[in-house]
């Protein structure tokens, strides 16, 4: 029997290293899986002889989990490769396949150039799956927390059609568009968020530290002080005396809101409220429909059936109100009804969405029309975000300036009142 060194993970995500005696590599992999271990690295032992058997299992040397490292395939947050790593993996694999390298060799090239860590261990596990005679789809399915059902379905269609490199190119385009949309929204919101924090801190500092410096000057004035000065002084006294309580209430309220919004009822109510906002509601609607349309169109263009493409695309929608409205599609399509008719009956979607889908159905180019719809809505989202920020930024600045101006005017009016009383 041959001896194989292995690195594997058990059901709790702990790293296990040791040796396994078996006839061949495939038999060793099967033996490890039968014991509840998922092989990460499995290779012939350099020594060719079995290591001493430690207590607790055949050839197992258990080690504590590495700090910050949980092995792929166990659904924890620590295991996730970043979106950029998945994008780079997809892009490089497509380029290597187009260059004529076999799939296992292309995976080996990527592994050799990758930094040690979770992402490299995941690729090593996929390569082990390939060497055991199974498909790339099977290897990706073992890491469902990293690769979405959309990604796996695309790869499966590429393997079935013999056009894996072309499908990977389409995946790269899809991932790049999704990343660009996400990054544009996040980067656009950074400045308003900073501005809001600065505004709140400035007002708290004015009321908590600046205004109290003038209280001794106004303490003998009583009711003779202007009303606005009295209000500002009362606000400053409250911040000074009960600021800690206000901070606790804000933090507690934030925790309660987060817990409530994580429930099904709270998330649905919050998503419904978001859609009802004057400007943001339209942006959220078009952003979610764009994701659905792009996913469905991309899957259809790669030979995935309409029913399966719709089911996968619905899962990419985050807003629960829109997702629930899209749930009418699978039974309607299964019953032979058109998508456009089912969406029209739901009363949730705009005439533009329904019309473009109807044109795609009648022309036999539904995949292209869905991708065009996604492109149109992406443009609308970006322009809507720009318009929203164009309104939000001056509103924040003017609001902050108005409140600070009121505080300064109140102090000046109080000082003038003291001077008039002295005269």
């Amino acid at each position: 029997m041959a001896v194989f060194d292995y690195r594997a993970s058990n059901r709790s995500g702990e790293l296990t290293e040791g040796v396994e005696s078996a006839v061949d590599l495939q038999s060793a992999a099967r033996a490890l899986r039968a014991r509840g271990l998922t092989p990460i690295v499995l290779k012939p032992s350099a020594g060719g002889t079995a290591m001493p058997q430690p207590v607790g299992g055949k050839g197992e040397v258990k080690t504590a989990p590495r700090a910050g490292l949980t092995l792929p395939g166990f659904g924890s947050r620590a295991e996730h490769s970043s979106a950029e790593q998945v994008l780079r993996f997809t892009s490089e694999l497509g380029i290597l396949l187009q260059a004529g390298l076999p799939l296992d060799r292309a995976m080996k090239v990527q592994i050799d150039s990758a930094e040690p860590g979770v992402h490299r261990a995941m690729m090593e596990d996929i390569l082990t799956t390939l060497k055991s005679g199974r498909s790339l789809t099977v290897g990706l399915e073992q890491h469902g927390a990293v690769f979405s059902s959309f990604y796996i379905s695309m790869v499966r269609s590429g393997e079935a059609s013999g056009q894996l490199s072309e499908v990977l190119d389409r995946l790269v385009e899809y991932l790049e568009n999704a990343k660009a949309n996400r990054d544009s929204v996040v980067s656009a919101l950074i400045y308003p968020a900073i501005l809001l924090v600065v505004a709140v801190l400035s007002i708290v500092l004015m009321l908590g530290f600046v205004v109290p410096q003038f209280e001794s000057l106004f303490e003998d004035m009583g009711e003779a002080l202007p009303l606005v000065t009295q209000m500002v002084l009362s606000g400053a006294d409250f911040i000074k005396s009960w600021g800690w309580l206000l901070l606790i209430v804000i933090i507690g309220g934030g925790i309660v809101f987060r817990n409530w919004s994580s429930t099904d009822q709270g998330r649905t109510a919050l998503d419904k409220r978001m859609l009802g906002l004057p400007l943001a509601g339209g942006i959220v609607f078009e952003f979610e429909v764009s994701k659905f349309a792009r996913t469905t169109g991309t899957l259809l263009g790669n030979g995935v059936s309409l029913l399966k493409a719709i089911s996968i695309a619905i899962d990419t929608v985050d807003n629960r109100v829109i997702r629930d409205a899209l749930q009418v599609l699978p039974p309607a399509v299964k019953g032979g009804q058109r998508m456009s008719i089912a969406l029209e009956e739901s009363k949730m979607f705009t005439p533009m969405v329904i019309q473009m889908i109807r044109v795609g159905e009648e022309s036999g180019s539904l995949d292209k029309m869905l991708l065009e719809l996604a492109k149109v809505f992406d443009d609308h989202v970006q322009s809507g975000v720009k318009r929203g920020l164009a309104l939000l930024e001056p509103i924040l600045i003017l609001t902050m300036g108005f409140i600070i101006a009121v505080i300064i005017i109140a102090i000046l009016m109080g000082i003038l009142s003291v001077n008039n009383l002295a005269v």
Side-chain angles (χ1 to χ4, degrees):
M1 277 195 177
V3 179
F4 300 91
D5 294 329
Y6 69 82
R7 185 167 80 250
S9 57
N10 58 23
R11 290 187 177 89
S12 63
E14 294 179 341
L15 185 64
T16 301
E17 297 180 349
V19 296
E20 180 70 25
S21 299
V23 176
D24 53 24
L25 188 69
Q26 290 75 19
S27 299
R30 285 195 297 269
L32 290 173
R33 293 184 188 280
R35 303 211 313 270
L37 298 175
T38 300
I40 303 300
V41 175
L42 182 61
K43 59 185 179 180
S45 177
T49 57
M51 294 173 62
Q53 304 295 322
V55 177
K58 178 183 178 182
E60 292 184 14
V61 180
K62 291 190 177 181
T63 60
R66 298 179 187 177
L69 173 63
T70 303
L71 296 176
F74 291 87
S76 71
R77 291 184 180 179
E79 72 160 43
H80 286 236
S81 296
S82 66
E84 291 186 0
Q85 286 178 316
V86 173
L87 175 58
R88 186 170 63 249
F89 165 78
T90 309
S91 176
E92 292 177 357
L93 185 59
I95 292 172
L96 292 171
L97 292 178
Q98 288 180 357
L101 271 69
L103 182 56
D104 57 346
R105 176 59 181 160
M107 287 293 303
K108 186 65 168 62
V109 170
Q110 285 196 283
I111 291 171
D112 292 341
S113 61
E115 294 291 333
V118 174
H119 186 67
R120 178 170 178 168
M122 180 194 69
M123 290 192 293
E124 290 174 344
D125 189 30
I126 294 174
L127 179 59
T128 301
T129 303
L130 293 174
K131 288 184 176 180
S132 67
R134 289 174 291 177
S135 65
L136 176 61
T137 302
V138 175
L140 298 178
E141 286 176 337
Q142 295 174 353
H143 303 277
V146 177
F147 301 100
S148 64
S149 56
F150 163 76
Y151 191 106
I152 294 171
S153 296
M154 288 282 289
V155 172
R156 181 183 288 112
S157 68
E159 289 183 315
S161 63
Q163 297 179 334
L164 182 57
S165 61
E166 290 81 357
V167 169
L168 290 174
D169 284 343
R170 296 192 187 102
L171 264 174
V172 169
E173 182 180 357
Y174 175 93
L175 295 173
E176 286 178 343
N177 286 335
K179 182 177 181 297
N181 291 336
R182 183 172 59 252
D183 290 348
S184 64
V185 173
V186 172
S187 60
L189 293 176
I190 289 177
Y191 177 68
I194 294 175
L195 191 62
L196 179 62
V197 172
V198 171
V200 172
L201 290 178
S202 299
I203 294 170
V204 170
L205 288 174
M206 288 284 291
L207 291 175
F209 297 97
V210 177
V211 174
Q213 304 298 321
F214 294 89
E215 285 188 349
S216 59
L217 180 64
F218 301 141
E219 60 185 7
D220 296 330
M221 293 288 294
E223 297 295 329
L225 283 174
L227 179 61
V228 64
T229 305
Q230 295 179 33
M231 293 174 61
V232 170
L233 290 176
S234 298
D237 288 338
F238 179 81
I239 294 293
K240 185 178 180 180
S241 302
W242 301 102
W244 60 271
L245 180 60
L246 181 62
L247 182 62
I248 292 176
V249 169
I250 292 175
I251 295 175
I255 294 174
V256 171
F257 177 79
R258 186 186 64 180
N259 294 337
W260 171 78
S261 62
S262 64
T263 63
D264 291 338
Q265 182 180 1
R267 179 68 183 274
T268 301
L270 188 61
D271 288 343
K272 186 176 181 180
R273 172 69 68 177
M274 286 293 297
L275 290 175
L277 295 177
L279 181 60
I283 296 175
V284 171
F285 174 81
E286 292 184 337
F287 181 72
E288 297 291 356
V289 174
S290 171
K291 288 195 295 184
F292 170 79
R294 182 184 298 105
T295 303
T296 307
T298 304
L299 289 170
L300 290 176
N302 285 276
V304 179
S305 66
L306 178 58
L307 183 59
K308 187 172 184 179
I310 290 173
S311 300
I312 293 173
I314 289 175
D315 291 337
T316 66
V317 178
D318 294 322
N319 189 283
R320 296 196 176 192
V321 177
I322 299 177
R323 189 194 306 167
D324 291 342
L326 289 170
Q327 293 293 349
V328 302
L329 289 177
V333 171
K334 190 179 295 185
Q337 190 179 23
R338 287 187 173 186
M339 285 180 61
S340 56
I341 296 176
L343 292 178
E344 190 173 14
E345 292 175 352
S346 71
K347 307 297 183 183
M348 176 76 189
F349 299 91
T350 61
M352 180 180 181
V353 175
I354 297 169
Q355 185 62 29
M356 291 190 72
I357 292 178
R358 180 178 290 120
V359 170
E361 291 172 331
E362 294 177 352
S363 63
S365 57
L366 181 59
D367 57 335
K368 295 179 181 178
M369 291 306 298
L370 286 170
L371 292 175
E372 184 64 26
L373 174 63
K375 183 177 181 300
V376 170
F377 274 7
D378 284 343
D379 294 338
H380 287 181
V381 168
Q382 292 182 9
S383 60
V385 170
K386 291 179 181 178
R387 285 197 305 270
L389 293 178
L391 293 173
L392 181 61
E393 291 173 8
I395 289 175
L396 287 175
I397 294 173
L398 291 175
T399 302
M400 178 179 66
F402 174 76
I403 295 176
I404 293 177
V406 168
I407 294 173
I408 294 174
I409 291 173
I411 293 175
L412 292 177
M413 290 178 65
I415 294 174
L416 291 175
S417 298
V418 172
N419 291 336
N420 291 335
L421 187 64
V423 172

